[in-house]
Amino acid sequence: MAKKLNKKGQLIYRRLFAFFAIFTVYLICIMLITSCEQKSNDEGEDTDIKLYELRIAMTEAAGNLPAMSVVDGSMESGEELFPYLSDLSYELVDDYFFSYSSDGSPYELAVILLKDESNAKFAAQSLDEHISKRVATYSTYKPGYADAARKASVVSYGRCVALIMCDDNDAVKEAFRSYLEN
Amino acid sequence: MNNVSEKTLEAGFLPGPGDGKTTPRPLGKAIYIMLALVLIVSATAAALGVVSILGIKNVNSELRDMDGEIIRVGEFIEHATGIIGATQDVAQEDDVTIGGRYVIKSTRAISDAYITKDTSALDDKQKETLSMASAILDSIIKDGMSKYEMALAVYDWMCANLKSDEGVIVAIPTTTEDCDNPYGVLKYHNAVCVGYATTYRLFMQMLGIECMVVHDSWLSHTWDLVKLDDGKWYHTDIYMDVGEGNYKNFCMNDTLAAMGHTWNKDFFPAANGMEYCYVYKNAVPVTDIFELPTLIKKGSEDDVTALYYSFSSLDARTYQMIETMMSLISSYFGSYYRYDYDGAQIYADIYGIGEMSDLIVDRPVPKSLYWDWIGGPNGEYIMRISITKQENSNYYELTEEEYRQIQEAVTDVFDDNQNSNVISAEICYISRDNAGPYYIVMSGGCFYIVYTEPLGGAYVGSIISIDITNADYIYLGGVEREFPDYGFLPIEAEIYGANVWLEGSPIRG
């Protein structure tokens, strides 16, 4: 067809050809990007998890809490303090927060945001071990706190694994679930 | 024709069979742009639709854990929690980490330096530790002391001069620096259990007494094993006794220590001595259980925090009587007050905390009483009593109305038939023909009546009712009053000539 065109026509033809070539590449890129986003949207209600907001939601749901101290992954000492919560390798952790009673009473709220949710089970096990250690500590130094510590819960949703130790674990679990589902 | 062709050629198209008209250039460009935009939008929409239709997914969307179990994305999972039962114990004494933070370190270098008088191998911190420890021993150890006496002297000093660092129970501990070694303990007088245990061991080793630091099976607590004059080992947990110094955890054998501790018995030596068990050495033999209230009251008034009483034999009935008595006595520690019905004076319970004139300002610190039983080395039964101060408890005084409500609520439920359980008229019915006074000590439906005359008996049980309508007079707080027109009597009411129906068993006739 190009041979049938004059020079001007050939120029236009080439421009159109280039346009459609670029357009085709664009189409392919769009499809690739879209498929990735589709995967994320299918699997990741967690694409926009803000641990700060989650902590606020869980803290409000817990009701009356004593004065709490908080450490999280954004702190300079975040990685150094993480082992007080979990013996999970920090390389597996995307972010975390650990809110605990400043006076040592059995009130703790923590969430570990994993890089890969396939490690959720292991993170949960580490939090279970944390509870065991707290019970042992209380049994020795403050026996009156041990029962409350035993009632602590560990729950997970996607990449998030939470430790809940307070007077109303169920309310905090619901807040945890609601935030991540929405 | 040529003009048309030229224009057409300019547009880039061959002249066609039309009327020779050509599209102006700007309009052609606009069409191109519009067409491009339409195509781009359509392509994007189509891409989304194609992906949706074909269900294109990441190949890793089906996640599996290490065991191959599929983890469903977005699933809320509640994990079962439970105490990990397996012990984390380690079979060694030193270099063990307790509570994930505190390390048991040997102090042999310091104690050896004390014995050999050679401090050349010590660093500055160790020298300072040695200096502080030496000064303490010089002040509390006397020549000729037995090992037991030296162990006791050090225990007394540590309990009196050190305090527990409560930061140990915080999730991220806030304990002070060096709270887990003798340097910090002796310098700042603030310690966690590791600090107490290693410091006590240092003192013992300086005195030439064999001593080991024992850690529990959870790696959460430490105490000491000391070898005394009889060549046997004894447990001492100073941390648990600090502040009170009640010897409850001083010189225990394995049996006594096991009541509150678990440890690796395969690694640490057995503590099966009897001679120096503090409880056994200091238990007071009791032959008359009715001496107990007086003994306990005196102990409380003397601020004794631990009392030990032994009973050579104990049948089931006597045991029940003691338990009932102890329940009644314990109720007098801090919880109940009786009132002067003029409201001007408030008196504390006779077995509790003494007399007060101002409830708010001069209220003394309430105490709690607890007791338990252990077996003695010769088959006797030993009752251990702890009397502790509730320094910072949320303590609320009961008002008269609250006390009355409690009384009525309990008796309404438990006193189903007020006249059906009278044991016998002879024992339980105290007629007005009997001369008084007798004291009714009452708490929560239980009473303890002591007769001065003429029956000379005592009863323990529940007061069903007290009919005081025909009482001659009653005393409250040593002051004669007209009897009140309500149904119950406060504690320590002296009643003359009232008819009392009781439910219960006589302790003695």
Side-chain angles (χ1 to χ4, degrees), chain B residues 289-311:
Chain B
I289 65 173
F290 296 101
E291 295 174 350
L292 282 173
T294 302
L295 291 170
I296 295 171
K297 182 182 179 187
K298 186 175 187 313
S300 177
E301 289 175 344
D302 292 342
D303 278 336
V304 175
T305 57
L307 301 167
Y308 309 101
Y309 301 110
S310 67
F311 304 83

Side-chain angles (χ1 to χ4, degrees), chain A residues 118-179:
Chain A
S118 63
N119 294 313
K121 191 168 90 169
F122 308 110
Q125 288 173 348
S126 73
L127 292 180
D128 192 23
E129 190 167 331
H130 170 83
I131 296 172
S132 298
K133 290 178 181 175
R134 297 297 288 150
V135 171
T137 299
Y138 285 136
S139 297
T140 301
Y141 299 107
K142 283 279 190 185
Y145 288 164
D147 280 342
R150 280 192 191 93
K151 293 173 185 172
S153 301
V154 176
V155 294
S156 68
Y157 194 101
R159 294 194 295 140
C160 291
V161 185
L163 162 71
I164 302 169
M165 185 190 297
C166 64
D167 293 335
D168 195 348
N169 288 356
D170 290 339
V172 179
K173 280 184 218 173
E174 188 54 39
F176 172 76
R177 182 212 294 258
S178 298
Y179 178 87

Side-chain angles (χ1 to χ4, degrees), chain A residues 6 39 43 134 141 156 173, chain B residues 9 58 61 78 169 193:
Chain A
N6 60 10
K39 167 188 177 294
E43 300 174 355
R134 297 297 288 150
Y141 299 107
S156 68
K173 280 184 218 173
Chain B
L9 287 173
N58 188 292
S61 63
E78 180 139 7
I169 66 169
C193 62

Side-chain angles (χ1 to χ4, degrees), chain B residues 183-322:
Chain B
Y183 174 80
V185 171
L186 298 178
K187 185 154 187 164
Y188 306 113
H189 289 201
N190 194 42
V192 294
C193 62
V194 175
Y196 280 103
T198 53
T199 302
Y200 192 72
R201 181 179 62 178
L202 171 64
F203 280 127
M204 293 297 102
Q205 290 173 341
M206 289 169 68
L207 295 170
I209 302 173
E210 284 187 70
C211 182
M212 299 178 72
V213 171
V214 184
H215 59 266
D216 72 346
S217 299
W218 282 98
L219 302 184
S220 65
H221 187 48
T222 57
W223 64 97
D224 296 278
L225 268 171
V226 187
K227 198 171 190 180
L228 296 180
D229 305 87
D230 58 352
K232 297 189 185 298
W233 293 90
Y234 294 85
H235 296 268
T236 290
D237 188 343
I238 295 182
Y239 182 87
M240 301 303 286
D241 289 352
V242 71
E244 306 234 341
N246 57 14
Y247 308 102
K248 189 173 182 181
N249 291 275
F250 177 69
C251 279
M252 304 177 286
N253 56 17
D254 280 345
T255 301
L256 296 173
M259 296 177 81
H261 305 78
T262 56
W263 66 96
N264 186 343
K265 294 178 182 174
D266 294 328
F267 175 75
F268 291 101
N272 50 18
M274 294 287 190
E275 183 177 354
Y276 292 106
C277 277
Y278 187 87
V279 173
Y280 301 156
K281 282 173 67 68
N282 293 278
V284 175
V286 173
T287 54
D288 183 355
I289 65 173
F290 296 101
E291 295 174 350
L292 282 173
T294 302
L295 291 170
I296 295 171
K297 182 182 179 187
K298 186 175 187 313
S300 177
E301 289 175 344
D302 292 342
D303 278 336
V304 175
T305 57
L307 301 167
Y308 309 101
Y309 301 110
S310 67
F311 304 83
S312 57
S313 64
L314 209 61
D315 58 26
R317 189 173 187 82
T318 307
Y319 172 78
Q320 183 180 338
M321 290 165 66
I322 295 173

Side-chain angles (χ1 to χ4, degrees), chain B residues 32-49:
Chain B
Y32 278 128
I33 293 169
M34 286 176 58
L35 180 62
L37 286 173
V38 168
L39 285 173
I40 290 171
V41 170
S42 300
T44 305
L48 288 170

